[in-house]
């Protein structure tokens, strides 16, 4: 019984290969069934834009890994000798560690990103509904989810923004505390501008104004945010009612100058304005930042914030890896306990068999004893068995995982346990 993983990711394979090897969601149940036909009773297929991994449990990991590689090669019609250099294989506790790290986004292209956990849960749901998981992978996946949650809670790995658009929202929150009564103006209709606007609206901004040199595009984007379009030639007049400006036009020169904003601030009675200039060349004159109560950030300022946050995430990732190490140890202990459970059952069954045989021989010879006395003898025999088994069972549960197999072999010989213990999971299938 072993856990293994075969996969490739953005770290080992180019996008051209990742595209070929990925699984459409509707094809995954069929793939799971094919793996089960290869004597891999438990398996999960995780397929995202950055990785494809098959997580599996079977009796013979060597055969299971070989069959999984053949499956990936055959399923996507890629010769194995072309595919194999890009594959990584993890087995035993290294597989468990890898799974916990992936679920916690420690192996992601952007450490701390939240999407991978949802993709992980979806892969598990598909496998579970296809009845391709059992006691081992069910436990492993739920443990992976709890590890990811613990890392998110106990470290700052997902706390700070690592994208330009989200860094803008974080800065806005620092300046205004509360965005719920704030009006945002988008100048230009580029993708990054739109993304920053979405983040601001998701964080409670009240109203969206959109201006663009092409008015119809401004109207179209304003409708997406249930906002209002403003003609480009009039946008400076609307700055009086604007708290946050995000500008990203293709203009070759400044579109907003120091004197424009000085008048606006006067009209606003010095209420602060937060300005984000994502454009290159810049849209907003840097001299604007010298005006009191104006907070202007350009693309380099935001990039510096992002890079600082990325460094912070790297430090937090070290803390997260310590948590992964603790949780791998805990899961290994659970796995080891599974190995000894059938042995304990077999021991009890053997001792109970001896006890019943001795009672059958002894009780008929005790003429004249009452039912109460018979029950007392039976209870005493049970108590003796419990006392005899206490030591071996305690040793089985507490010994080091590497010593368990030796101890189980010794117990088989001492107690003459000739039958093979029931395999874990047979009852659950």
């Amino acid at each position: 019984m072993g856990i293994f993983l075969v996969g490739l990711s953005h770290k080992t394979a180019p996008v051209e290969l990742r595209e070929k090897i990925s699984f459409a969601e509707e094809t995954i149940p069929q793939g799971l069934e094919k793996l089960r036909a290869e004597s891999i009773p438990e398996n999960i297929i995780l397929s995202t834009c950055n990785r494809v991994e098959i997580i599996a449990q079977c009796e013979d990991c060597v055969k299971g890994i070989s069959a999984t590689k053949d499956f990936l090669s055959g399923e996507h019609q890629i010769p194995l000798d072309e595919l194999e250099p890009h594959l990584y294989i993890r087995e035993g506790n290294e597989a468990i560690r890898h799974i916990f790290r992936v679920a916690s986004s420690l192996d992601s292209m952007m450490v701390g990103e939240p999407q991978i956990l949802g993709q992980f849960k979806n892969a598990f749901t598909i496998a579970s509904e296809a009845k391709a998981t059992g006691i081992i992978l069910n436990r492993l996946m739920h443990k992976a989810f709890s590890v990811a949650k613990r890392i998110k809670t106990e470290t700052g790995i997902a706390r700070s923004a690592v994208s330009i658009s989200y860094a803008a929202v974080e800065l806005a929150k620092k300046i205004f505390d509360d965005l719920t009564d704030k009006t945002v103006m988008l100048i230009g209709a580029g993708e990054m501008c739109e993304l920053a606007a979405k983040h601001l609206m998701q964080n409670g901004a009240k109203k969206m104004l959109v201006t663009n040199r092409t008015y119809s595009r401004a109207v179209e984007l304003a409708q997406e945010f249930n906002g209002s379009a403003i003609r480009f030639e009039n946008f400076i007049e609307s700055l009086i009612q604007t708290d946050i400006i995000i500008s990203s036009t293709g203009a070759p020169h400044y579109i907003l100058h120091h004197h424009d904003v000085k008048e606006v601030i006067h009209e606003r009675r010095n209420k602060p304005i937060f300005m984000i200039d994502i454009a290159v060349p810049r849209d907003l004159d840097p001299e604007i930042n010298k005006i009191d109560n104006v907070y202007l950030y350009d693309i380099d300022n935001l990039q510096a914030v992002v890079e600082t946050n990325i460094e912070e995430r790297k430090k937090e990732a070290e803390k997260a890896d310590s948590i992964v190490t603790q949780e791998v140890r805990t899961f290994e202990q659970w796995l080891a306990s599974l190995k000894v459970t059938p042995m304990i059952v077999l021991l009890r069954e053997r001792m109970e068999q001896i006890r019943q045989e001795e009672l059958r021989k002894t009780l008929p010879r005790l003429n004249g004893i009452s039912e109460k006395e018979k029950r007392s003898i039976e209870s005493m025999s049970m108590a003796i068995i419990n006392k005899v088994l206490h030591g071996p069972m305690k040793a089985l549960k507490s010994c080091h995982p590497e010593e368990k197999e030796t101890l189980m072999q010794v117990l088989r010989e001492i107690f003459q346990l000739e039958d093979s213990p029931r395999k874990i999971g047979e009852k659950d299938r």
Side-chain angles (χ1 to χ4, degrees):
M1 179 181 70
I3 296 169
F4 71 85
L5 176 147
V6 178
L8 54 75
S9 74
H10 59 282
K11 294 181 177 178
T12 65
V15 66
E16 293 81 9
L17 181 58
R18 300 203 304 274
E19 286 170 348
K20 290 180 185 174
I21 208 80
S22 66
F23 288 83
E25 188 168 313
E26 61 272 17
T27 68
I28 290 177
Q30 189 182 5
L32 297 168
E33 187 57 37
K34 287 180 180 177
L35 287 165
R36 290 184 71 185
E38 295 292 336
S39 300
I40 304 173
E42 294 191 55
N43 56 79
I44 293 169
I45 297 175
L46 173 67
S47 182
T48 75
C49 58
N50 283 329
R51 70 181 65 242
V52 171
E53 293 183 348
I54 294 178
I55 302 161
Q57 183 277 131
C58 69
E59 281 295 317
D60 187 335
C61 282
V62 174
K63 287 184 180 176
I65 290 167
S66 177
T68 302
K69 289 195 289 188
D70 288 341
F71 164 75
L72 283 171
S73 170
E75 196 72 5
H76 300 286
Q77 299 184 336
I78 302 172
L80 188 55
D81 58 348
E82 289 181 22
L83 180 62
E84 206 158 18
H86 301 280
L87 293 176
Y88 47 80
I89 295 163
R90 304 284 184 270
E91 198 175 343
N93 63 354
E94 285 305 312
I96 298 165
R97 175 181 296 281
H98 181 87
I99 291 161
F100 289 176
R101 294 189 86 253
V102 170
S104 305
S105 82
L106 295 173
D107 198 57
S108 294
M109 188 176 285
M110 179 56 69
V111 171
E113 56 89 9
Q115 288 85 5
I116 185 64
L117 182 58
Q119 293 164 332
F120 222 88
K121 288 181 176 178
N122 188 48
F124 173 59
T125 299
I126 293 171
S128 181
E129 289 176 352
K131 302 189 186 309
T133 61
I135 187 170
I136 305 293
L137 291 195
N138 284 342
R139 178 81 172 215
L140 179 61
M141 290 300 107
H142 284 292
K143 189 67 177 173
F145 303 153
S146 72
V147 171
K149 185 178 179 182
R150 185 183 166 197
I151 286 173
K152 185 179 178 184
T153 304
E154 296 184 18
T155 75
I157 198 159
R159 203 169 293 153
S160 48
V162 289
S163 69
I164 294 291
S165 55
Y166 203 73
V169 177
E170 276 201 346
L171 287 170
K173 283 181 174 178
K174 286 179 181 174
I175 292 167
F176 294 114
D177 291 332
D178 185 4
L179 302 180
T180 54
D181 62 343
K182 298 297 177 282
T183 297
V184 180
M185 180 186 288
L186 299 188
I187 305 176
E191 187 180 348
M192 200 179 292
C193 221
E194 187 177 342
L195 196 56
K198 280 181 182 172
H199 286 319
L200 285 166
M201 295 303 281
Q202 286 167 359
N203 280 271
K206 181 184 71 174
K207 187 177 178 182
M208 185 68 67
L209 306 174
V210 182
T211 186
N212 193 58
R213 288 188 189 279
T214 305
Y215 183 65
S216 59
R217 176 64 182 131
V219 171
E220 185 183 336
L221 191 56
Q223 286 174 345
E224 282 187 31
F225 295 106
N226 200 23
S228 303
I230 297 170
R231 293 197 178 277
F232 192 77
E233 54 271 27
N234 299 329
F235 85 86
I236 293 178
E237 297 167 13
S238 299
L239 292 180
I240 296 167
Q241 55 178 306
T242 302
D243 304 292
I244 300 169
I245 297 169
I246 306 171
S247 186
S248 180
T249 74
H253 50 69
Y254 300 142
I255 61 168
L256 193 63
H257 299 84
H258 182 276
H259 62 271
D260 299 321
V261 179
K262 195 167 178 66
E263 286 182 23
V264 169
I265 283 290
H266 178 70
E267 291 291 325
R268 284 173 59 86
R269 297 183 180 179
N270 290 315
K271 281 174 61 182
I273 298 182
F274 174 45
M275 298 182 172
I276 304 162
D277 186 356
I278 303 175
V280 179
R282 287 175 291 181
D283 287 337
L284 312 183
D285 181 357
E287 290 294 310
I288 293 172
N289 205 30
K290 293 179 180 176
I291 301 171
D292 288 344
N293 295 315
V294 174
Y295 302 90
L296 171 59
Y297 288 81
D298 63 25
I299 189 77
D300 282 356
N301 299 142
L302 292 174
Q303 189 61 43
V305 171
V306 167
E307 285 172 5
T308 301
N309 289 345
I310 288 173
E311 287 305 311
E312 285 300 314
R313 284 197 178 195
K314 287 179 181 174
K315 292 177 187 172
E316 294 301 312
E318 292 176 11
K319 296 180 192 171
D321 268 324
S322 298
I323 292 173
V324 167
T325 299
Q326 293 169 21
E327 297 291 356
V328 169
R329 200 173 299 129
T330 303
F331 192 79
E332 283 180 314
Q333 288 170 352
W334 177 78
L335 271 180
S337 73
L338 283 186
K339 291 180 182 176
V340 302
T341 300
M343 173 60 70
I344 291 172
V345 171
L346 204 57
L347 260 177
R348 282 207 164 277
E349 288 175 350
R350 177 66 176 142
M351 296 303 286
E352 178 63 16
Q353 182 188 14
I354 294 171
R355 187 178 78 91
Q356 292 295 342
E357 285 173 1
E358 294 306 312
L359 285 173
R360 274 196 296 274
K361 283 190 251 175
T362 304
L363 290 178
R365 294 203 294 265
L366 300 174
N367 294 328
I369 63 171
S370 65
E371 285 301 317
K372 184 178 178 181
E373 288 167 330
K374 283 183 181 178
R375 286 197 295 273
S376 295
I377 291 171
E378 287 177 356
S379 297
M380 181 184 69
S381 65
M382 181 62 77
I384 290 170
I385 284 180
N386 287 337
K387 290 277 186 188
V388 169
L389 289 180
H390 177 73
M393 288 199 293
K394 187 178 177 183
L396 273 173
K397 289 176 180 176
S398 61
C399 73
H400 192 279
E402 292 178 0
E403 297 171 345
K404 285 191 191 303
E405 194 56 47
T406 303
L407 183 55
M408 287 196 291
Q409 185 57 38
V410 169
L411 289 171
R412 282 191 194 99
E413 292 177 10
I414 290 175
F415 290 96
Q416 299 178 327
L417 304 175
E418 296 176 354
D419 297 330
S420 297
R422 186 179 65 237
K423 293 173 184 175
I424 291 298
E426 282 186 348
K427 186 179 177 182
D428 304 86
R429 302 299 304 175

